[in-house]
Amino acid sequence: MSRNLLILGAAPSLGELRDTLIRLEDTIIFALIERSQFRHNRDIYEADKMHFKDGYRGSFLTWFLKEVECVHARVRRYQSPDEYPFTNNLPDPVLPPLEYPPVLVDPARININDEIFDVYVNTVVPGITADGDDNNYGSSATRDIECLQALSRRIHYGKFVAESKFQDPATHDEYVRHIKAGDRAKLMELLTNTRVEEQLLRRLKAKALIYGQDLSSACPDSVGNGLLPVSAAGESGAGERVKTRVDYDLVVSLYRDYVIPLTKEVEVEYLIRRLDG
Ligand SMILES: C=C(O[C@@H]1C=C(C(=O)O)C=C[C@H]1O)C(=O)O
C-alpha cells in the first residue's frame, strides 16, 4: 500500500496490506545485502567509543540515527501513522501537519523500536557481515539505518493488519470479547494465520536465493552451499576484496524468529488497547 492511500483516507484491505508487506520483503533483503558489503565494524555500536566534539556519549550509530531522524521529524515524517522513530524527543515539524484520516485507533502510538534495534544490532548485523573492522563506519551506519527503518515500517504495519482484522465482521465480536477479557493469548491465537506465515517463509527463501546470488556466475552450484555471494564486494581496511554474502537461512530465520513474532506483538498490543481510544 503506498502511503498516499493513508492520506486519501482509504482504509486499506487486508489484501492490500499483505501486498505491502510482500513489497517490504524486497526492501529488507536488499538493505541487508547492502549492509553485508562491509565488515561488522562493531565499534559503531558501542557507546562512548567515539569522541564526539559535542560531548555525546552514545554510540556512532545512535548518534547518526538521531541526526537523521531529527531532519526527518522536521519534515513531519513521524506524523505518518506508518512511521516510528528510534530516537526520543525529536524536534517539531517546520511544516504544517498533514491530515491523516483516523485509520488507526492508537493513542499510545505503540513503538517497539527498542526491541527491533536490539535484535538488529545483536543478532542481524553479526549474522550478515564478515567479522573485523574496515573503517567504513559512515557507510555501514548508513546501511544500518536503512535496514532499521525498513524493519520498523514492516513490523509496525502490524497495526494496520490488526485494525483490518478487528473490523472484519466475521471476527469482530470475537476480538471485542478477548479485548474486554484482556486475553493477549486468545488475541494472538485469533490473529495468527499459519498458512500466510508458511507461504511467506517459502517465498522469502526463494527471493533470498535469487536476490543474493552473484548472477554473473552461471554455474548452478554457486548457490548450493547456502552462502549466497552477492555481486557487490566490499573493500576491507587493508584493501583486500571482501567477498560478501547473505545467508538465505539467516533471512528466513530473521523473519521466522523476529520479524513475524514482533509484528504479531504489535498486533496484540494494538488490539488490547483498541477499545481505550
Ligand atoms: C501480518 C499478518 O498477521 C500475522 C503476521 C504475519 C507476518 O508477520 O508476516 C503473517 C500472518 C499472521 O500470522 C497477516 O495476517 O497477514
Side-chain angles (χ1 to χ4, degrees):
M1 173 186 69
S2 65
R3 196 172 306 162
N4 57 21
L5 274 183
L6 292 179
I7 297 173
L8 295 176
S13 70
L14 187 52
E16 285 171 327
L17 290 167
R18 285 174 174 162
D19 287 346
T20 297
L21 295 181
I22 290 172
R23 201 188 72 244
L24 283 171
E25 290 167 9
D26 303 336
T27 305
I28 289 167
I29 290 173
F30 280 109
L32 294 174
I33 288 174
E34 284 302 299
R35 175 61 182 89
S36 73
Q37 297 176 73
F38 305 101
R39 289 188 179 272
H40 188 174
N41 296 325
R42 64 182 69 240
D43 280 3
I44 67 177
Y45 307 105
E46 292 181 23
D48 230 3
K49 204 75 177 178
M50 308 284 179
H51 300 292
F52 291 96
K53 291 178 181 171
D54 63 0
Y56 181 75
R57 305 296 299 272
S59 70
F60 180 81
L61 176 61
T62 53
W63 179 85
F64 200 161
L65 193 53
K66 169 174 66 69
E67 295 296 301
V68 167
E69 294 194 325
C70 280
V71 171
H72 289 183
R74 290 170 73 74
V75 291
R76 64 192 175 191
R77 173 174 184 163
Y78 301 110
Q79 289 187 344
S80 170
D82 62 345
E83 291 285 354
Y84 298 86
F86 289 81
T87 309
N88 297 318
N89 307 316
L90 290 171
D92 293 332
V94 296
L95 299 169
L98 283 175
E99 291 302 314
Y100 288 98
V103 172
L104 300 178
V105 178
D106 180 27
R109 285 286 286 173
I110 297 155
N111 181 327
I112 67 165
N113 278 342
D114 286 348
E115 280 184 80
I116 295 170
F117 188 90
D118 289 347
V119 166
Y120 178 76
V121 169
N122 299 319
T123 304
V124 178
V125 175
I128 62 170
T129 58
D131 201 12
D133 188 313
D134 59 21
N135 288 312
N136 286 298
Y137 295 172
S139 300
S140 299
T142 299
R143 274 47 175 217
D144 286 333
I145 291 170
E146 288 161 2
C147 290
L148 287 165
Q149 289 177 333
L151 286 167
S152 176
R153 281 197 73 212
R154 194 289 177 184
I155 288 164
H156 287 100
Y157 251 88
K159 298 183 185 182
F160 293 96
V161 172
E163 181 62 28
S164 174
K165 292 173 177 178
F166 178 78
Q167 297 292 354
D168 182 345
T171 50
H172 178 74
D173 293 345
E174 202 174 347
Y175 276 109
V176 170
R177 191 164 62 250
H178 296 327
I179 293 168
K180 287 182 172 175
D183 194 333
R184 284 180 165 80
K186 283 290 187 187
L187 284 171
M188 179 65 82
E189 187 182 323
L190 183 57
L191 67 83
T192 294
N193 185 319
T194 308
R195 181 185 57 80
V196 169
E197 292 182 24
E198 288 168 353
Q199 200 177 40
L200 179 156
L201 294 174
R202 284 197 301 273
R203 181 176 60 245
L204 211 57
K205 181 167 185 175
K207 283 185 176 180
L209 268 166
I210 294 165
Y211 296 164
Q213 67 185 326
D214 177 352
L215 295 178
S216 60
S217 58
C219 48
D221 62 7
S222 65
V223 295
N225 58 7
L227 297 185
L228 303 166
V230 290
S231 50
E235 289 292 339
S236 72
E240 121 230 10
R241 295 195 59 72
V242 174
K243 196 68 182 163
T244 59
R245 60 168 177 67
V246 173
D247 183 322
Y248 60 70
D249 281 336
L250 181 120
V251 175
V252 173
S253 63
L254 167 63
Y255 263 76
R256 184 189 61 240
D257 303 337
Y258 299 105
V259 174
I260 294 174
L262 287 172
T263 302
K264 290 160 75 173
E265 177 186 335
V266 166
E267 291 186 58
V268 168
E269 292 311 311
Y270 173 84
L271 287 165
I272 204 80
R273 296 169 177 82
R274 177 61 179 75
L275 301 178
D276 298 349

